[in-house]
Amino acid sequence: MPRSIFAFIPLILFVAGSLPADERPNILFIMSDDHTSQAFGCYGSRLAKLNPTPTIDRLAKEGMLFENAFCTNSICTPSRACILTGQYAHINGVHDLGGKIESKRQYLALEMRQAGYHTAMIGKWHLKEEPGAFEFYSVLPGQGKYFDPVFRVQGAKKWPNNTIQFKGMHSSDAITNQTLRWLKEGWDHKRPFFLMHHYKAPHDFFEYAPRYADYLADVKIPEPANLWKQPAFGSLATRGANDELLPHIGTSIGRRNPRRNYVKHYKIDSKLSDEDAQRAAYNVYLKHYLRCVKGVDDNLARLFGHLEETGQMDNTVIIYTGDQGFMLGEHDYMDKRWMYEESQRMPLLIRYPKSIPAGSRTGTIVENVDFGPTMLDFAGVKTPSVMQGRSFRSICESGQEPAGWKQEAYYRYWMHMAHHDNPGHVGIRTKTHKLIFYYGCDYKGQQQTPPGWELYDLAKDPTEVVNQYDNPAYADVVTDLKTRLAALRTRVGDTGQDFPAVEAVIQEFWDYDQDDRKKAEEISHTYLRSRSQ
Ligand code: CA
């Protein structure tokens, strides 16, 4: 940066922020791809006993763990766009993997930079356009590769034509090496840094570094009970009429979905029974996944070690998250996209010992659109009006929800039946219940799967195995949550303005009377025929 511009920065800070420059913390935002809360020690799941994340768990032990952090659209590119813009998908326009955010809308980085932070983005980016709002970047093209990864960097040529390659290296190691190098040689110490450090791991297909080949090799991975058949789970939307769509909705661990499942992918012995094959596939899947997680955790030990050595550990707000959750065999599902707990929930840990009490936990509902405002708040910057999210910094520091804090998370998945055979859906999650509406159509209102509703009582049924939508005892809950979902849609601005054909389907099946149910059954038969052709 030219000296003349640098001279103006304290003035900008005075205007933009409430904290004096020398007291502002660094902000390190660490995000792994598809690292789900079940695959942590600190979240206490069935896998915690395997101690998968000793380094990351330190952030929970010395900071705050969020039990109810949610993405608003459980898939890579949209979640990243929500974090960077502070806007829901229907506002920032990134509904699916085809979305992009150009430099002028990379609001989080722009605001940090304007406030005098030294900004850098290293690792998986997945927003297509140049990360031009950052002063330094080195990002994987698209999904990037696990081995011999190539990165798009700044240089003489126009984006995206300057590249570097790390031959013989795993992506998690290459990303950490670049961050360490930037901290040592690139960071201008006169300013605090805002660094986004994003791993590709543990995204599929879970290619771990060879040094982890023996990790968990002889361990039988604990199974979720709902890996196996749960007769009251799901709806006409996810099972079809008389369960006729079970092979076609949601890719599977076992042989259920013949198009895509891990028995097939991992070439499990075809002579095994369905149950034995499913169990074997689950174990291979989880071991590959957890070996990638281990690589992330070990690399963070290197990063945290460097921050300790340089005296920056306690002077840095360290945030760890995944871009969404992930199904690790729950309901026999793989991947994310679903509104079910394991997919909707984001792991979220924040450590900053100067103001966040060690070992604190909160059940407050926060969404990925709130992450940007919170980081800006730690930097002393007011949330820009363009962002829909709200800072939860005070919750980190006090454990108390401020007046009027949200009691509901909004959810919408748009990529109807793409890649993993998930129908389009919309829903609301409160601290105690979840209502999901599978409207089941593409952007044109076509390729219909049967519409259907699901209600889960999370207090009694945290693993979501009993759909209570048609239980008369829950009629009032359904009515209340439908009213709240409609109001929430209006509040977040998702009123169907961009896709009227989809909205027409949503409205048609909203009340879900007997005629709607009959029509949904017919749609199920039609869809089955289309898959059989
Ligand atoms: Ca992801």
Side-chain angles (χ1 to χ4, degrees):
M1 177 176 284
R3 190 173 296 271
S4 58
I5 295 175
F6 189 70
F8 283 101
I9 282 176
L11 182 64
I12 293 167
L13 292 180
F14 182 76
V15 174
S18 57
L19 295 172
D22 54 4
E23 286 183 18
R24 295 182 307 168
N26 304 309
I27 295 169
L28 171 59
F29 181 80
I30 307 167
M31 184 157 70
S32 297
D33 198 334
D34 298 355
H35 189 188
T36 185
S37 60
Q38 306 96 292
F40 284 70
C42 55
Y43 274 91
S45 79
R46 69 182 189 276
L47 302 173
K49 66 188 82 162
L50 303 176
N51 193 24
T53 51
T55 305
I56 297 169
D57 291 348
R58 179 183 170 191
L59 301 178
K61 201 170 157 204
E62 299 174 0
M64 177 170 263
L65 179 149
F66 288 78
E67 294 165 346
N68 286 326
F70 298 112
C71 58
T72 53
N73 181 354
S74 180
I75 191 162
C76 307
T77 304
S79 182
R80 288 155 202 271
C82 288
I83 292 167
L84 206 59
T85 63
Q87 299 171 334
Y88 294 87
H90 52 270
I91 300 295
N92 65 38
V94 181
H95 302 91
D96 55 38
L97 295 176
K100 52 180 87 169
I101 297 290
E102 62 277 20
S103 298
K104 67 176 184 205
R105 292 198 297 144
Q106 295 163 12
Y107 303 124
L108 174 57
L110 289 171
E111 290 286 333
M112 287 288 188
R113 189 170 176 174
Q114 192 183 338
Y117 271 70
H118 195 178
T119 54
M121 164 68 229
I122 297 169
K124 183 168 172 180
W125 168 244
H126 216 188
L127 288 167
K128 311 237 174 5
E129 301 272 343
E130 181 178 21
F134 295 84
E135 289 162 273
F136 176 87
Y137 66 77
S138 178
V139 297
L140 293 166
Q143 294 282 2
K145 291 194 302 176
Y146 268 116
F147 291 100
D148 307 319
V150 171
F151 292 81
R152 290 174 174 164
V153 296
Q154 290 140 310
K157 297 180 230 162
K158 270 186 80 174
W159 161 272
N161 297 320
N162 299 292
T163 58
I164 51 170
Q165 184 171 23
F166 289 77
K167 286 202 168 158
M169 207 177 277
H170 187 271
S171 79
S172 297
D173 302 337
I175 289 164
T176 310
N177 284 3
Q178 290 181 87
T179 284
L180 289 171
R181 184 167 178 188
W182 184 80
L183 286 170
K184 287 172 189 167
E185 299 170 12
W187 173 32
D188 166 13
H189 284 64
K190 295 189 215 69
R191 297 182 279 157
F193 65 75
F194 169 58
L195 169 61
M196 298 186 92
H197 172 81
H198 294 183
Y199 290 109
K200 168 183 172 61
H203 192 279
D204 71 13
F205 288 98
F206 324 113
E207 295 168 42
Y208 50 84
R211 63 182 180 273
Y212 298 110
D214 293 334
Y215 176 62
L216 301 173
D218 300 325
V219 174
K220 186 172 174 289
I221 307 294
E223 295 165 4
N226 60 8
L227 172 64
W228 309 103
K229 199 169 182 181
Q230 304 290 331
F233 166 71
S235 61
L236 184 60
T238 54
R239 307 169 71 108
N242 304 313
D243 289 353
E244 68 186 359
L245 296 184
L246 280 176
H248 301 292
I249 308 278
T251 48
S252 56
I253 309 301
R255 293 177 177 134
R256 177 179 52 77
N257 185 325
R259 189 185 72 80
R260 190 164 178 180
N261 66 66
Y262 278 138
V263 174
K264 185 166 145 183
H265 178 79
Y266 289 120
K267 300 183 172 62
I268 303 296
D269 186 352
S270 60
K271 291 191 285 296
L272 289 179
S273 69
D274 285 350
E275 183 177 327
D276 287 346
Q278 185 167 344
R279 181 167 284 121
Y282 169 79
N283 270 270
V284 177
Y285 170 34
L286 267 284
K287 285 179 191 186
H288 281 67
Y289 182 91
L290 291 169
R291 285 168 189 163
C292 279
V293 168
K294 184 71 175 157
V296 167
D297 196 78
D298 285 348
N299 268 299
L300 287 178
R302 291 203 293 144
L303 178 51
F304 294 167
H306 173 77
L307 293 174
E308 298 274 15
E309 283 163 23
T310 53
Q312 296 298 332
M313 188 73 182
D314 291 351
N315 193 36
T316 303
V317 178
I318 302 179
I319 300 162
Y320 185 89
T321 189
D323 55 350
Q324 2 71 207
F326 211 64
M327 308 304 290
L328 296 180
E330 297 84 8
H331 310 291
D332 187 39
Y333 289 143
M334 59 163 90
D335 206 67
K336 54 267 185 178
R337 302 162 190 258
W338 297 107
M339 196 187 162
Y340 300 120
E341 285 292 88
E342 297 82 1
S343 165
Q344 185 189 13
R345 173 172 294 110
M346 301 172 85
L348 179 64
L349 311 169
I350 308 184
R351 179 191 186 275
Y352 183 51
K354 290 183 182 174
S355 69
I356 303 177
S360 47
R361 295 174 81 98
T362 179
T364 294
I365 289 176
V366 300
E367 297 175 298
N368 54 2
V369 294
D370 302 316
F371 290 12
T374 304
M375 287 188 262
L376 289 169
D377 199 0
F378 274 107
V381 180
K382 237 179 85 186
T383 303
S385 60
V386 72
M387 290 189 174
Q388 293 178 287
R390 181 174 168 187
S391 168
F392 53 83
R393 176 184 169 185
S394 71
I395 299 170
C396 298
E397 295 176 338
S398 71
Q400 303 296 314
E401 287 184 22
W405 187 259
K406 69 181 81 179
Q407 298 300 308
E408 301 152 343
Y410 186 63
Y411 190 81
R412 180 105 190 238
Y413 173 74
W414 302 78
M415 290 188 84
H416 180 64
M417 298 307 279
H419 308 131
H420 286 274
D421 304 341
N422 316 69
H425 55 292
V426 62
I428 181 171
R429 194 211 189 272
T430 68
K431 284 179 182 168
T432 55
H433 293 85
K434 179 182 295 179
L435 183 69
I436 311 174
F437 178 25
Y438 291 98
Y439 54 84
C441 64
D442 65 15
Y443 293 112
K444 295 176 179 164
Q446 296 170 357
Q447 305 294 324
Q448 276 191 290
T449 55
W453 290 83
E454 297 179 14
L455 171 72
Y456 295 97
D457 181 340
L458 301 169
K460 289 184 184 158
D461 178 25
T463 60
E464 301 174 320
V465 294
V466 183
N467 174 12
Q468 303 282 12
Y469 184 83
D470 285 325
N471 180 347
Y474 284 86
D476 290 348
V477 177
V478 168
T479 302
D480 175 53
L481 286 179
K482 274 196 187 182
T483 305
R484 289 168 70 177
L485 174 57
L488 182 55
R489 294 190 71 207
T490 302
R491 202 155 67 239
V492 301
D494 186 13
T495 50
Q497 62 277 27
D498 295 330
F499 304 101
V502 182
E503 193 59 27
V505 175
I506 290 176
Q507 294 309 324
E508 180 184 357
F509 290 91
W510 187 268
D511 64 341
Y512 214 56
D513 60 16
Q514 289 310 315
D515 286 348
D516 291 341
R517 289 167 195 252
K518 200 159 165 280
K519 191 167 175 190
E521 287 182 12
E522 285 160 17
I523 292 169
S524 173
H525 302 329
T526 306
Y527 190 77
L528 181 65
R529 282 197 296 276
S530 77
R531 296 306 294 244
S532 314
Q533 280 164 3

